[in-house]
Each structure stands twice: as C-alpha cells, then as structure tokens.
Amino acid sequence: MEDCLAKKMEITVSEAEKRTGRNAMNMQETYTAYLIETRAVEPQSEGQCAPVDSLWRRYSEFELLRTYLSVTYPHIVVPPLPEKRADFVWHKLSADNMDPDFVERRRIGLENFLLRVASHPVLCQDKIFYSFLTQEGGWREMVNETGFQIKADSRLKALNATFRVKNPDKRFTELKHYSDELQSVISHLLRVRARVADRLYGVYKVHGNYGRVFSEWSAIEKEMGDGLQSAGHHMDVYAASIDDILEEEEHYADQLKEYLFYAEALRAVCRKHELMQYDLEMAAQDLTSKKQQCEELATGTVRTFSLKGMTSKLFGQETPEQRETKVKILEEQIQEGEEQLKSKNLESRDFVKSAWADIERFKEQKNHDLKEALISYAVMQISMCKKGIQVWTNAKECFSKM
Amino acid sequence: AAGAPKPLPSSGPKSLREMPHPLATSSSEEMGPAFTPSPDPLLPRGIADKDLSLPNGTPVDTSSPASSSSLLNRLQLDDDLDGETRDLFVTVDDPKKHVCTMETYITYRVTTKTTRAEFDLPEYSVRRRYQDFDWLRNKLEESQPTHLIPPLPEKFVVKGVVDRFSEEFVETRRKALDKFLKRITDHPVLSFNEHFNVFLTAKDLNAYKKQGMALLSKMGESVKYVTGGYKLRSRPLEFAAIGEYLDTFSLKLGTIDRIAQRIIKEQLEYLVELREYGPVYSTWGGLEVELSEPLEGVSACIGNCCTALEELSEDMTEEFLPVLREYLLYSESMKNVLKKRDQVQAEYEAKLEAVALKKEDRPKVPTDVEKCQDRVECFNADLKADMERWQNNKRQDFRQLLMGMADKNIQYYEKCLTAWESIIPLLQDKPETK
C-alpha cells in the first residue's frame, strides 16, 4: 500500500484574503482567496528545512476540484467541502460570507478537506489533485482538458428521480436509507444546538446586569460595600465568559457539519450503484427482447404479441430475403449487446467491490471521528462547568465578606 | 441578682441581670419549672454576630407613653446573644388545609418555647391563619408606632395566576411568616408586646380580638399619633440620610428583582431547548451501531443537566425572590415610620412655636409641649435603634441570601460536571475492551 500524499507532504491553508476582480461577465466582484502552503516531509540534513511552496486558490476552484474527483471516482466517498453559505447560525453569528469568523472557519474547513483527500489511499494519487496543490497557473484548463464533464452522469444530480431497479445490492439500499436518516438527524441536531447556544448566551449575558447594580448598590453601603463591589466584578467575568465558550463549540458544530455533508457523498455512491444497476438491467432487458425478436423471425412464430407482427400480418408478410437481413442485423446487435452486457456486468461488480471497500473505510473513519468529536464536546462542557464553579465560588467568597 | 426589685409583670423588657434565676426561690412570683431551651436548630444563628449596643438615652418617667424605649435605654444586651441567653423561641411550621362551607384556608402551627415571666407556661402550640398574622401586625403598628414592624408576605394573590394552595406557595409563605415572628422575637421591645404574647398563647384568638380596646390601656399604650395637620419644615440630617438611603436601596432592590426574574425566564427558555436537544442524540444513536452507546450516553447526560437546571430555577423562584420582595416591603414600612416621626416632630415644633408667640412672663414650658418633646426624643431614639438593628439584619440576610444564590449555582454546575465527567470513559471505550 503506497504511502498517501499526506505522509509525504505538509499541507496547510494558512491565510485568507479579500480580493476584488472581474468575473466572467466583466462585473466587479469581491471574493476571498486562500493561501495553500505545501512542504515536503523528507529527512533533511540538520538545520535545513524543506522550502515552502504556496499558491492562492478561491472557493470555486475547490468546488471544481471536488466535482472532478466525484466524477472521476464515483465509487469513492469523496470528502465534502465546508459549507458555501453560513447555515445553522445562532443570532450572534453572522450569516455573511465576508464575516471574518465565517472566513476563518471556512479556511480551517478547506484545510481539512485537502488533508482528507491527501490521506485517502486512492484520491491522493490523483494528478489533478497534486497540480491543484502545486501548480499555480493553468490548472482550470488542465482540469477541463480531462474531459471529465462528459463522464458526468447528469442523472446523479436528479436526486428525486426514481429508477425502478429490480435487483439492487441490498447493502446499498440500506446504506442509502441510512445516509438519508443521518442527514436528517444531524440537521435537526445542528438546528437545535444553535437555539441552545442562543439561549445560553442570553442567560450568561443577563448576569452581567448584576455587576452594574451591585456596583451602584455598594455605593450606599458601608460594611457591605466592598463585598458587593467585588462580587459584581465576578458577575461581569461570568457574563463575558460565554463568548469564548460558544466560539469553541462552533468547532464541534463544524465537525458535525462535515459528516452532514459526508452523508451526501455517501448517498451519491449509492445512487451511482443504483444507476449502474439500472443501466445493467435495461441492457439485459433490451438483449432479451432482441433475442426474442430474432427467434420469432427465424422460426416464423409469433410468441408474443408485437405491433410489428400485427402490421406484417395486416400488410403482408415479408419476403424471406427481407427477413434474413433483419435476422442478420439482429444477430449482430445481439452479439454487441452480449459483449456490452458482459463488460457492464464486470464494471458493476468491480464498482460494488471497490465502493464497498471504501465504504467500510469510511465507516471506520466516521466512527472514530465522531467519537472524538463527542469526547471533545464533553471536555468543552466540563471546562464550562469548572469555569462556572470557579466564578460562583469567587462570588460566594465576596458575599461572605459582606 | 438577689435583692433586685421585683418588676411588674407587664412593664416591658428587663435587664437580664435583673431577671430572677428560674430556680431561685421567689415568694410571690410563680415561675414555671426550670427550662433551659436548647438552641433550636431551625433558628438562625445570625443573632450571635449582631452588634446590639444601643444608644444611651436619659431615663424617662415610666408612666410616659414612651416607657418602652426608656427601659430599652437602660438595657444592655450581651453582644453574644446565642441560644443560651435567649429566652424566647418561636417557630412556624406544619401548614394544614381547612375546608369549610364558607371558605377554604390554610393554618400554620406556631410553637413557642420560653422562660420569660410574661408567659404562664414554658411551651405553647397554637394554630394561626394568615389573617391572624395580619391582625398581629396591625396591632403592633398601632401599639408601637415608634418602632419598625417587620413586613408580612403580601396579602392578596391574583387568583388564577398563583395557586394559593400549591405546595410551593404555602411553603414560601410559611417561611415568610416564620421570619416575621422571629424578627419580632428578636426585637427587645416588640417581643414583650402583649398582643404578641396573646398571639402566641391564646387558644381562642378571635375572642381576644373582639375584646380589643379593653387591654390597650394596660400596656401603657401610647395615644394614637394624630397624623395630618402638621407639616415638618425640614427633616433632620440624619433622618434625611436614612430616607435617601431607603429610596436608593429600594430602587436597587427593585432592579435586582427584575434581573433575577429575567434570569429565571432565560433559564427556562434554555431548558426548553435542552429538552429537545438531548433526545436527538438518542434518535441518532438508534441509527448507529458502534456509536449507539456513546450517543445514548450524551443524551442521558443532557437529560441530567436539564434536571439540575430545573432545580436551580425552582430554588431561585422559591427562595431568592421572596426575600427580595420582603425587603422591599421592609423599606416601605421604614419609610412610613420615618413619616410618622416627621409628624411627631412637626406637632412638637408647632406647639413650641405657639407657646413662643404667647410671650408670657413665665419661662416655664407647658407640660403638653414637654410631652411632645419627650415623644420626639423617644421616637428618634427608637427609630435610630431600629434602623441600626435593621441594617445589621439586612446585612446578615443579604449575606446569607447571596451566598445561598452562589451556592445553588455552584451545585448546579457540580451536578452537570459530574454528569459529563462520568460519560468520558463511556465515550472513550473501545468495543473490543467491552
């Protein structure tokens, strides 16, 4: 197993910059560019560090890369990009794409995306991906030259179109169902979490009012004054602490979001299988009917009702020569069809095999990552509780000195 | 204390040193069996910290209406008035609902333990309802107009908004009534008031209420101060300062009350969201295999935090807010006493002026003007003493209240901390190790 790119190369998205330029319609637009820095991880002689290469990319180029990868490797659960627009925001967060906090979180998300791809055993070997990281100019043209758009199955985009597949691999059907449920439950979770964050913010901030009133009250007191004043200060500290707490929690939300989008990628693979299976079944069906036609023409018996048969009855039989030509054409088509069916079958089986391998890899990754995310969430909650205990203990001491 | 003159049974507080020892042989006075009350654990120990030195005033004729404060001036109470030197203990508990044809109401048990001579027995247990407490307060205000009477919890509750018979409401009220009686008990003058005595001891309080006027004279009840007609030119500086203090204090308390209510409201809204949040993890757990237990764990954890938060909000509503409201009522009472004092001073100044205008040869000041002067001086002394006591109590009470609030919050966070810490090992668990 070849070492994936991530082990050979350090990749970071280190900066984000606001840029203005002209778009395809020669209109001025503002966008954010991200600096990708790469550095070879090689045993170096002492004191020497590998040189850092860098180039700027914007979000639309990341999108192009991902689209290319999805089309080129349909059996792979391709890592998702961070969200294009801020979703699941609670009131304090901005839904503005230009907001510095959003840009910062997106920068981290893009870096994460590149690292995911670089550590994928199959994707990391892709040349286009490598060029994305290392080749500044002419990358777009290079991608388009691969002609991947032609390979793209437009039906994949039609999410709701149903194809009556008679014999899908049950595992994929179950997996598609799972990915739908996963999307639904994580969306719900993110929505409620945002509301929880909103409310918690309110609780903490109102306590800040105690700070002010205690201070005012302490002015008219003699013995109680000092205790009240210093307790009020702790209330201010308490109220201010929520900002950092909730900012940290956004990282947890981002981790969940990644898997929300991963569910989409998972679904795409299942969908691809469905379509392949559909094509296969259609091809098999077509072959069967052609064979039947051939048989009927050869033996002259009409086993099944067909319009052709009826019309030939009504308008007269064909000449033997005409029939023979037809049979010959059909036989050719049948042969072609059988070869095609064979290769389609093979393709399909290969797809199922390699897709399922990647799905297993993905499952393990998902279980590991989400467990880590839950642990870090619990750690955040523990930290918040400890801070709360600290502040109120301090306040209590001040009150005791009243 | 041998040789000390035997004081009249109902002449007000005695110096502790003057009080005959319960076990000492006494010829005419009947004392109940020796009873040293053990410190009631329910009673606040805050009294021990009180500074009860009182301003020394000149002793005034015991027949004057202000006899209570003159005796007060002679009184030197110990700094450490702990359970052993205290001789009167009162508790309010055991609320019971009574359903009658005309009405439904709650009664509370009022238990008294005492060694005081003013009480025939060392122990009493009676049942009283809110209107009895209200009656007592009115009587105290009438009979001790120079003193600050502790407030009662509010009389009227809006029907439909508050359930008068809910456990929480009854308990909150019980605590307030208990506090009310304890404050009277701790007061060196009010605790010797005859109405208070009857309230604590009478089997049939209603019969006594009807008697009413007959007993008023015995206590040396002061003539009702006529309010109205006299306007004070200017309040003396020290009382003006008290008035200003009370105004600002009330304002700040009002603000704190609003903040506390707002916090409770925000907490409850937070709770609503948390209640939806926890179960989503559980739903997710149902979808997963390996993650099923960790997700269920998180769900349960959030549930525990919900319970803890509920408890915190309840505590704040039931224990914090009522005390704030009580002190607002207290401020109002004190402001009223200040106004009454102003009236008394105004009357005195008016009469003095009237005399001065007559320009008689005799420089002798007529007795009724002298009496007014006495009244003013005694009122001022009483008020100052009460204010100081009130300030001390206030400091104690708020210290306790705010420490309690901090404590409740600490407990809330500790409960949540325990919950989250306990699921870390569950989250880190590897399936193989199970």
Side-chain angles (χ1 to χ4, degrees):
Chain A
M1 178 65 160
E2 241 185 271
D3 249 351
C4 56
L5 191 61
K7 297 215 176 97
K8 298 189 226 165
M9 184 191 252
E10 248 177 58
I11 306 169
T12 52
V13 176
S14 53
E15 278 171 50
E17 217 177 70
K18 213 152 113 171
R19 299 259 179 94
T20 43
R22 296 216 169 261
N23 65 7
M25 287 171 282
N26 209 30
M27 280 165 48
Q28 204 177 46
E29 56 166 3
T30 319
Y31 63 91
T32 312
Y34 298 88
L35 183 66
I36 302 176
E37 287 184 330
T38 50
R39 197 224 311 256
V41 175
E42 273 166 26
Q44 297 285 333
S45 46
E46 270 195 51
Q48 263 193 308
C49 226
V52 173
D53 282 324
S54 65
L55 46 74
W56 292 90
R57 295 260 183 240
R58 52 185 295 191
Y59 189 83
S60 55
E61 291 175 275
F62 280 86
E63 276 183 313
L64 181 59
L65 173 65
R66 190 176 187 274
T67 310
Y68 161 80
L69 290 172
S70 306
V71 171
T72 315
Y73 304 91
H75 58 291
I76 300 288
V77 183
V78 178
L81 284 172
E83 56 193 351
K84 188 155 196 179
R85 260 161 279 280
D87 235 341
F88 307 110
V89 288
W90 55 284
H91 88 275
K92 206 213 157 204
L93 287 189
S94 172
D96 175 19
N97 282 4
M98 288 293 151
D99 179 75
D101 283 333
F102 175 74
V103 169
E104 173 59 16
R105 292 210 326 278
R106 203 196 236 188
R107 181 192 67 74
I108 296 169
L110 291 173
E111 184 177 288
N112 188 53
F113 166 74
L114 292 178
L115 290 172
R116 290 270 194 213
V117 176
S119 34
H120 191 284
V122 173
L123 299 177
C124 71
Q125 296 175 52
D126 186 276
K127 297 280 177 288
I128 296 289
F129 173 61
Y130 187 79
S131 312
F132 179 87
L133 296 172
T134 53
Q135 184 182 318
E136 179 119 40
W139 178 80
R140 260 190 210 270
E141 291 74 18
M142 192 197 262
V143 181
N144 291 330
E145 269 165 32
T146 61
F148 77 95
Q149 286 99 331
I150 305 164
K151 285 190 238 159
D153 191 339
S154 60
R155 293 177 299 174
L156 274 175
K157 295 224 174 92
L159 285 169
N160 291 327
T162 43
F163 295 85
R164 255 175 300 134
V165 182
K166 288 186 203 135
N167 272 325
D169 186 318
K170 283 237 155 53
R171 296 175 299 173
F172 283 92
T173 317
E174 276 168 25
L175 192 64
K176 182 153 155 252
H177 181 70
Y178 166 78
S179 69
D180 286 340
E181 301 269 283
L182 187 68
Q183 260 187 309
S184 162
V185 86
I186 296 184
S187 308
H188 189 192
L189 193 64
L190 286 168
R191 270 198 308 277
V192 184
R193 193 212 69 90
R195 295 204 304 260
V196 167
D198 221 351
R199 291 297 175 198
L200 189 61
Y201 184 79
V203 172
Y204 271 74
K205 286 301 177 190
V206 179
H207 278 85
N209 293 324
Y210 274 146
R212 192 177 53 231
V213 75
F214 283 171
S215 181
E216 292 166 3
W217 182 11
S218 71
I220 59 167
E221 297 291 342
K222 289 176 221 127
E223 294 157 315
M224 283 167 63
D226 287 338
L228 272 177
Q229 177 89 355
S230 39
H233 160 74
H234 290 296
M235 290 293 99
D236 286 331
V237 168
Y238 180 72
S241 68
I242 192 66
D243 295 302
D244 284 345
I245 289 169
L246 288 176
E247 204 187 289
E248 241 200 294
E249 253 192 47
E250 282 310 309
H251 293 303
Y252 170 68
D254 285 339
Q255 285 173 297
L256 292 181
K257 270 182 223 174
E258 194 193 12
Y259 276 91
L260 174 67
F261 304 141
Y262 250 129
E264 186 59 48
L266 200 60
R267 194 177 194 281
V269 174
C270 297
R271 196 82 168 124
K272 180 71 184 178
H273 162 77
E274 220 172 79
L275 290 173
M276 282 183 89
Q277 187 66 16
Y278 178 76
D279 284 347
L280 188 64
E281 283 173 11
M282 287 290 112
Q285 212 176 299
D286 188 61
L287 187 64
T288 313
S289 88
K290 282 208 165 76
K291 279 186 179 166
Q292 227 166 29
Q293 272 180 45
C294 201
E295 199 198 313
E296 284 166 18
L297 280 175
T299 59
T301 54
V302 181
R303 239 183 278 140
T304 55
F305 176 81
S306 78
L307 194 60
K308 259 212 178 111
M310 285 308 291
T311 50
S312 65
K313 269 215 165 109
L314 289 167
F315 296 107
Q317 297 273 8
E318 295 164 311
T319 62
E321 294 80 24
Q322 284 173 320
R323 222 185 293 144
E324 239 183 84
T325 330
K326 273 204 183 137
V327 169
K328 264 222 173 75
I329 295 171
L330 273 172
E331 278 176 350
E332 270 174 38
Q333 286 180 339
I334 286 167
Q335 200 171 24
E336 256 181 64
E338 271 181 342
E339 273 170 30
Q340 264 189 22
L341 189 67
K342 217 190 212 166
S343 75
K344 271 206 162 81
N345 234 319
L346 221 74
E347 226 187 292
S348 179
R349 251 181 282 159
D350 275 341
F351 177 88
V352 166
K353 188 164 154 221
S354 49
W356 204 256
D358 195 58
I359 285 164
E360 291 296 335
R361 181 207 60 81
F362 168 75
K363 277 187 189 165
E364 253 189 70
Q365 173 199 299
K366 175 204 77 169
N367 287 336
H368 173 267
D369 288 350
L370 288 174
K371 231 185 221 183
E372 289 297 314
L374 289 175
I375 291 171
S376 76
Y377 184 66
V379 169
M380 275 183 237
Q381 300 304 306
I382 288 169
S383 161
M384 180 170 85
C385 290
K386 285 188 175 163
K387 277 191 207 160
I389 291 170
Q390 185 64 61
V391 166
W392 282 104
T393 306
N394 291 341
K396 186 179 172 186
E397 219 192 290
C398 296
F399 291 137
S400 74
K401 297 200 180 119
M402 265 165 58
Chain B
K6 287 240 166 41
L8 293 166
S10 54
S11 61
K14 303 161 217 165
S15 157
L16 287 170
R17 286 181 236 118
E18 290 175 347
M19 223 179 177
H21 193 279
L23 292 174
T25 48
S26 61
S27 42
S28 53
E29 214 168 15
E30 261 207 14
M31 299 290 271
F35 179 77
T36 312
S38 54
D40 191 332
L42 293 172
L43 296 172
R45 303 283 289 160
I47 307 298
D49 300 331
K50 258 206 274 209
D51 176 19
L52 286 169
S53 59
L54 298 156
N56 277 320
T58 46
V60 176
D61 187 31
T62 46
S63 63
S64 96
S67 63
S68 51
S69 68
S70 65
L71 288 162
L72 191 63
N73 292 338
R74 278 198 269 131
L75 191 62
Q76 286 294 320
L77 285 164
D78 282 331
D79 271 9
D80 297 311
L81 198 65
D82 56 26
E84 281 137 61
T85 48
R86 211 188 305 165
D87 58 359
L88 176 64
F89 298 84
V90 178
T91 313
V92 177
D93 63 4
D94 191 35
K96 275 199 167 47
K97 196 157 138 180
H98 298 259
V99 183
C100 307
T101 39
M102 292 302 284
E103 54 174 350
T104 306
Y105 59 91
I106 308 267
T107 63
Y108 303 85
R109 179 176 65 185
V110 179
T111 316
T112 307
K113 291 189 181 144
T114 182
T115 54
R116 288 192 184 177
E118 289 76 13
F119 293 85
D120 296 331
L121 300 172
E123 264 189 70
Y124 291 91
S125 181
V126 295
R127 293 212 74 95
R128 298 285 180 247
R129 56 185 289 190
Y130 183 89
Q131 50 177 235
D132 298 331
F133 286 82
D134 196 36
W135 168 88
L136 172 63
R137 188 171 195 282
N138 288 332
K139 281 296 177 217
L140 286 175
E141 266 195 334
E142 275 173 27
S143 56
Q144 315 273 183
T146 64
H147 287 289
L148 173 64
I149 316 296
L152 271 181
E154 262 146 43
K155 189 178 211 167
F156 300 109
V157 283
V158 183
K159 280 205 184 133
V161 175
V162 179
D163 177 10
R164 289 181 302 140
F165 302 107
S166 75
E167 253 185 69
E168 293 83 26
F169 178 79
V170 171
E171 176 57 17
T172 305
R173 218 181 216 196
R174 182 202 67 76
K175 279 193 227 163
L177 294 174
D178 183 79
K179 211 155 195 200
F180 169 72
L181 290 184
K182 284 187 161 71
R183 282 186 172 138
I184 298 172
T185 308
D186 291 340
H187 196 285
V189 175
L190 294 178
S191 62
F192 287 90
N193 184 287
E194 173 144 5
H195 301 297
F196 183 52
N197 186 308
V198 174
F199 176 90
L200 293 177
T201 62
K203 282 288 167 218
D204 184 0
L205 188 61
N206 286 325
Y208 174 78
K209 284 186 196 178
K210 287 185 184 126
Q211 277 181 45
M213 298 307 288
L215 289 160
L216 275 177
S217 47
K218 212 183 179 186
M219 262 289 292
E221 205 84 40
S222 56
V223 170
K224 272 213 174 136
Y225 292 119
V226 177
T227 53
Y230 298 106
K231 189 149 179 1
L232 186 66
R233 238 163 279 155
S234 67
R235 221 183 227 178
L237 229 64
E238 56 186 332
F239 296 108
I242 292 176
E244 270 168 40
Y245 169 83
L246 288 172
D247 283 334
T248 311
F249 178 72
S250 307
L251 264 177
K252 296 309 152 198
L253 263 199
T255 307
I256 293 173
D257 182 80
R258 276 192 303 279
I259 295 171
Q261 280 188 65
R262 176 84 189 276
I263 288 175
I264 291 168
K265 177 171 171 280
E266 296 282 341
Q267 278 172 345
L268 290 175
E269 285 175 355
Y270 171 55
L271 186 61
V272 167
E273 301 298 347
L274 270 188
R275 284 234 162 88
E276 193 184 325
Y277 185 52
V280 182
Y281 281 99
S282 198
T283 307
W284 188 0
L287 286 180
E288 300 286 340
V289 176
E290 206 183 304
L291 292 175
S292 171
E293 266 189 52
L295 288 167
E296 279 297 336
V298 172
S299 178
C301 199
I302 294 172
N304 288 338
C305 293
C306 286
T307 310
L309 183 60
E310 226 183 341
E311 284 164 13
L312 174 65
S313 295
E314 248 174 56
D315 283 337
M316 291 299 283
T317 309
E318 284 161 29
E319 292 177 30
F320 188 74
L321 291 179
V323 177
L324 288 180
R325 306 234 167 98
E326 184 188 295
Y327 265 89
L328 280 168
L329 291 171
Y330 231 147
S331 299
E332 286 311 304
S333 292
M334 187 51 122
K335 284 191 226 178
N336 287 333
V337 176
L338 272 174
K339 283 186 197 148
K340 279 192 234 167
R341 190 218 69 87
D342 288 346
Q343 286 301 314
V344 172
Q345 183 177 335
E347 187 185 340
Y348 166 64
E349 285 177 356
K351 288 193 171 154
L352 195 63
E353 226 176 85
V355 167
L357 287 172
K358 279 185 189 164
K359 282 210 171 100
E360 280 173 9
D361 290 322
R362 293 184 297 170
K364 187 188 164 203
V365 180
T367 32
D368 68 324
V369 179
E370 241 178 37
K371 280 201 176 144
C372 275
Q373 189 181 22
D374 286 344
R375 261 189 245 142
V376 174
E377 284 173 10
C378 293
F379 209 137
N380 288 350
D382 285 346
L383 202 154
K384 279 197 273 195
D386 275 357
M387 190 60 193
E388 218 176 296
R389 186 176 304 107
W390 182 86
Q391 284 282 19
N392 257 320
N393 283 348
K394 177 208 74 188
R395 188 169 63 87
Q396 297 295 328
D397 287 342
F398 275 95
R399 182 176 176 275
Q400 191 180 30
L401 182 73
L402 292 169
M403 281 178 77
M405 170 174 91
D407 248 336
K408 292 277 180 256
N409 277 279
I410 291 169
Q411 280 165 34
Y412 160 71
Y413 278 113
E414 279 178 346
K415 285 178 205 162
C416 293
L417 179 66
T418 308
W420 285 106
E421 278 182 338
S422 69
I423 63 152
I424 293 272
L426 173 71
L427 293 175
Q428 288 173 329
D429 217 8
K430 292 240 178 287
E432 305 89 57
T433 59
K434 284 205 191 130

